[in-house]
Amino acid sequence: MSTRIAFIGLGNMGGPMAANLVKAGYTVSGYDPSPQAQEQATQNGIAVAASPAEAATDAEVVFTMLPAGDHVLDVYLGRRGTEPVIGTAPAGALLIDCSTIAVQDARAAATAAREAGYRAVDAPVSGGVQGAAAGTLTFMVGSSEEDFGTVRTLLEPMAGRVVPCGETGSGQAAKICNNMILGISMIAVSEAFVLGERLGLTHQALFDVASTASGQCWSLTSNCPVPGPVPTSPANRDYAPGFASPLMAKDLGLAMKAADATLTDTKLGQMAANLYRDFAFGDGRDLDFSAIIAQIREEPIEGMGR
Ligand code: NAD
């Protein structure tokens, strides 16, 4: 397998994703400004470059896994004085952005890439750091039909599932719509447990009913916000993430940006975004998003066994 891949952004997600591409036999050059990320990447067989553009010089495929849309646009366009990937990577290269960013930013990045003669795809993920390490991420792909087959093959070493979502930007759209459901449903499940507690209902009794009835959802059956009913949920390990509250706050912020742009009235989405923003900047900073139940109980986080 001789495809040359550049991987820009070798953090908690990008690091293990790039490592899985190396394990699959690809030649991977990478860039990350963090010395720690560079050291880990070198140990994983990635040739660490001095800049994003240097990593992309000979690449046929350029992955990005960066914190936000501004970082992706900076790397693509060289807006901060660094040499841009667009114009440096060989003509016709395939640019695949796996970061979670605003739909508008994804479309702007793809348009700039296409205008310069590249192919551009958005492929955000769910599955977290465990999924990145295990190579079992779900990818939500926004691409042309023509590019999808190639993209699927490239993602395969990192993926459990690869879902085609439509044209460019659709991967990001699917990701934020899904996570808006997730944020709202976690609040709904947490409110139900707190109400149940005050009505004298045990956690197990509510779980036994709702998990097999119409209240069933992932927030209840996989990421249950109270300890006990689902032994693997973060509630059983003092709410260590898991899916950290600041990431949920970020994704709900992106969903609300998209709702504004499309004049969509998402009342519950807005409430969830507000609750998670406050929680992520406060007690929930280092905790799984299911710890929001403490805020609903109006109990200090210490009351949760920490
Ligand atoms: P992270 O902060 O661990 O990694 C981001 C990396 O990008 C850092 O190592 C940082 O040094 C690097 N970086 C910043 N600016 C750069 C630049 N200009 N060029 C190259 N590298 C640069 O974050 P993460 O958890 O790996 O998340 C990455 C993306 O994946 C985010 O968009 C996040 O929303 C998304 N995501 C994360 C998770 C998760 O569980 N962590 C799950 C799904 C999606």
Side-chain angles (χ1 to χ4, degrees):
M1 206 174 303
S2 59
T3 307
R4 291 182 308 280
I5 293 180
F7 209 112
I8 319 289
L10 301 164
N12 292 327
M13 295 293 289
M17 288 166 71
N20 281 330
L21 289 169
V22 173
K23 279 188 209 148
Y26 289 107
T27 304
V28 182
S29 58
Y31 173 73
D32 194 296
S34 148
Q36 224 180 339
Q38 290 175 11
E39 197 184 313
Q40 187 61 53
T42 305
Q43 281 173 24
N44 289 335
I46 294 150
V48 175
S51 70
E54 187 182 302
T57 306
D58 297 322
E60 294 150 272
V61 181
V62 181
F63 280 100
T64 36
M65 192 50 165
L66 296 164
D70 273 344
H71 300 87
V72 176
L73 289 163
D74 288 348
V75 164
Y76 276 25
L77 303 171
R79 295 188 310 186
R80 283 173 197 262
T82 52
E83 214 185 329
V85 163
I86 288 181
T88 309
L94 180 59
L95 311 188
I96 305 179
D97 179 39
C98 297
S99 327
T100 303
I101 67 174
V103 176
Q104 298 94 309
D105 288 341
R107 293 194 171 133
T111 301
R114 290 212 180 100
E115 283 173 0
Y118 297 96
R119 294 176 292 151
V121 171
D122 54 300
V125 303
S126 70
V129 264
Q130 295 95 329
T136 55
L137 293 169
T138 294
F139 285 85
M140 293 151 262
V141 179
S143 74
S144 66
E145 265 183 54
E146 203 186 338
D147 285 335
F148 182 73
T150 314
V151 171
R152 185 201 285 277
T153 306
L154 286 160
L155 296 180
E156 206 271 324
M158 304 180 280
R161 285 180 73 212
V162 180
V163 186
C165 296
E167 280 300 325
T168 314
S170 306
Q172 298 293 351
K175 163 95 187 172
I176 57 167
C177 289
N178 178 71
N179 281 15
M180 189 174 79
I181 299 173
L182 180 61
I184 294 169
S185 69
M186 181 53 80
I187 292 166
V189 168
S190 298
E191 287 186 353
F193 272 112
V194 174
L195 179 60
E197 287 165 7
R198 291 175 189 176
L199 294 171
L201 200 56
T202 65
H203 292 160
Q204 192 63 48
L206 177 55
F207 181 84
D208 288 345
V209 171
S211 64
T212 53
S214 42
Q216 191 273 337
C217 62
W218 189 89
S219 293
L220 176 68
T221 57
S222 292
N223 216 77
C224 189
V226 294
V230 180
T232 51
S233 80
N236 298 282
R237 42 173 210 269
D238 293 339
Y239 297 89
F243 186 50
S245 296
L247 288 172
M248 175 50 85
K250 173 192 167 182
D251 291 358
L252 286 168
L254 293 175
M256 290 311 98
K257 197 170 168 178
D260 278 350
T262 54
L263 303 177
T264 309
D265 188 8
T266 51
K267 290 190 180 63
L268 293 185
Q270 187 61 62
M271 279 184 177
N274 294 346
L275 284 171
Y276 272 108
R277 189 197 50 221
D278 292 349
F279 190 57
F281 281 108
D283 283 348
R285 209 168 33 250
D286 303 319
L287 300 178
D288 186 73
F289 80 118
S290 58
I292 193 86
I293 195 168
Q295 187 156 301
I296 293 162
R297 279 198 196 100
E298 296 184 87
E299 261 183 13
I301 218 86
E302 284 75 18
M304 301 168 69
R306 300 175 88 225

